[in-house]
Each structure stands twice: as structure tokens, then as C-alpha cells.
Amino acid sequence: MNIKVIIVWGLAVLIFAGIGLFGYLNQNLLYATDENFTPKNDTEILHTCKSTLEFGESLYRFSVKDEVIDRLAITYKSTTENIELYESASNINRAIMEGINGVTSAMSGGIADFSLTINVNVTDYDKEKIEEMTNDFTKLLMVIDSISSYDVYNQALAQLNTTYTCE
């Protein structure tokens, strides 16, 4: 019985040693051979812009990769009761839930304390359907645009007649 265990363990050691030796001898295949090769910088930078509005709070979160806005999350939280803003938020949420490519949303709360969060893939979303809801976005002081530069997006936010504090 002991000889069988020794043979099995010996074979296991030989197999793993063979795999290790094979990996060691072929590790040069893991490196690029192109002399002009430059690795892609996939660092993601997150920016946040906040503003306190008359009837609520607005928060923009930008995900920037390679100096281009990749994703955008906008959150509007009401602090006082306003039926008109609630209806606009409901219209936006309903339209997005029915299906707008590149955009998702979630809404919670009632008329006095609702929260609407919209996630946008800035490089690939249905611009025509978003533009159809411009009036509702304007009421909530939201900007969804295919602006790829974080600095230019900040300029667009500055045109909303409110002050955003950005980090």
C-alpha cells in the first residue's frame, strides 16, 4: 500500500515539475516583441460634482479613462415637496425603464423625498431619445450630453445657473 502512495506522489511531483519547467522555458512568450509597443493606460479617474438646488441636491459622478469620460452617474435627491419635479423625474425614469440604449435609471421615494439616479454610457447612448426628454431634464437641472471632455462637461454644468463644487 505504501509503494502505491509513493508512486502516485512521485508522478504528481513529476507532472507539476514538468508544467513548471514548460512555463519557465516559455515565459518569453508573455512579453510583446513589437518594439513600438506601448501599454495602454487603463487608469480610471473618478470626479464628483455636487450642488445644492432650490428643491433638492444634484450629484454628478464622472468616470474618466484616458482623458475621455467613459461613464456618468447623475443623482437628484429632492429635499422639499414639488409635484412638478416629481412628475419630471417619473417621466424620465419611465422612459429609461422602457428602454434607452446606454442609459439605466432607478427612482425611489415619494413626492417630498424622491431620489432619481441615472447611469449613462457617454460614448454609446441613444441621443435622440434623450433629447426628446429635454424639458424634464431641464426642470431637474440635469445635463446629459455626448461631451467627452471632463472640463467641457464642467462648463456645461456652469450654464445651469447653479454652482457645482467639483473634486
Side-chain angles (χ1 to χ4, degrees):
M1 175 89 174
N2 287 339
I3 193 74
K4 292 178 185 177
V5 172
I6 292 172
I7 292 173
V8 169
W9 275 105
L11 287 173
V13 168
L14 285 175
I15 290 172
F16 285 113
I19 292 172
L21 183 62
F22 179 76
Y24 176 76
L25 294 175
N26 291 303
Q27 65 184 341
N28 63 333
L29 298 176
L30 298 175
Y31 301 109
T33 57
D34 184 10
E35 293 177 8
N36 297 327
F37 175 76
T38 55
K40 184 177 179 184
N41 184 6
D42 279 341
T43 57
E44 180 180 41
I45 301 170
L46 300 175
H47 296 283
T48 303
C49 294
K50 297 178 185 179
S51 180
T52 301
L53 308 171
E54 182 179 356
F55 295 105
E57 299 173 349
S58 180
L59 173 69
Y60 283 77
R61 286 175 298 220
F62 300 90
S63 170
V64 180
K65 286 185 181 178
D66 299 326
E67 299 181 17
V68 174
I69 297 173
D70 181 43
R71 289 176 287 122
L72 170 65
I74 306 169
T75 302
Y76 181 91
K77 291 182 182 179
S78 71
T79 54
T80 51
E81 186 174 325
N82 187 320
I83 188 73
E84 186 177 348
L85 294 179
Y86 182 78
E87 287 175 352
S88 292
S90 294
N91 292 341
I92 291 169
N93 188 52
R94 186 179 320 106
I96 292 172
M97 296 298 277
E98 288 175 358
I100 297 179
N101 292 335
V103 183
T104 60
S105 70
M107 186 171 172
S108 62
I111 294 172
D113 63 345
F114 71 89
S115 174
L116 174 66
T117 301
I118 300 171
N119 295 304
V120 183
N121 180 348
V122 178
T123 58
D124 184 33
Y125 71 95
D126 191 344
K127 296 173 183 73
E128 293 175 4
K129 288 188 178 180
I130 293 296
E131 288 175 3
E132 291 173 3
M133 298 184 297
T134 300
N135 290 336
D136 289 324
F137 283 119
T138 303
K139 289 177 185 175
L140 294 173
L141 295 176
M142 290 184 168
V143 175
I144 296 180
D145 205 342
S146 57
I147 300 170
S148 61
S149 169
Y150 171 70
D151 295 327
V152 175
Y153 217 108
N154 273 341
Q155 292 172 1
L157 290 177
Q159 295 176 0
L160 291 176
N161 296 327
T162 187
T163 304
Y164 278 89
T165 305
C166 298
E167 301 171 357

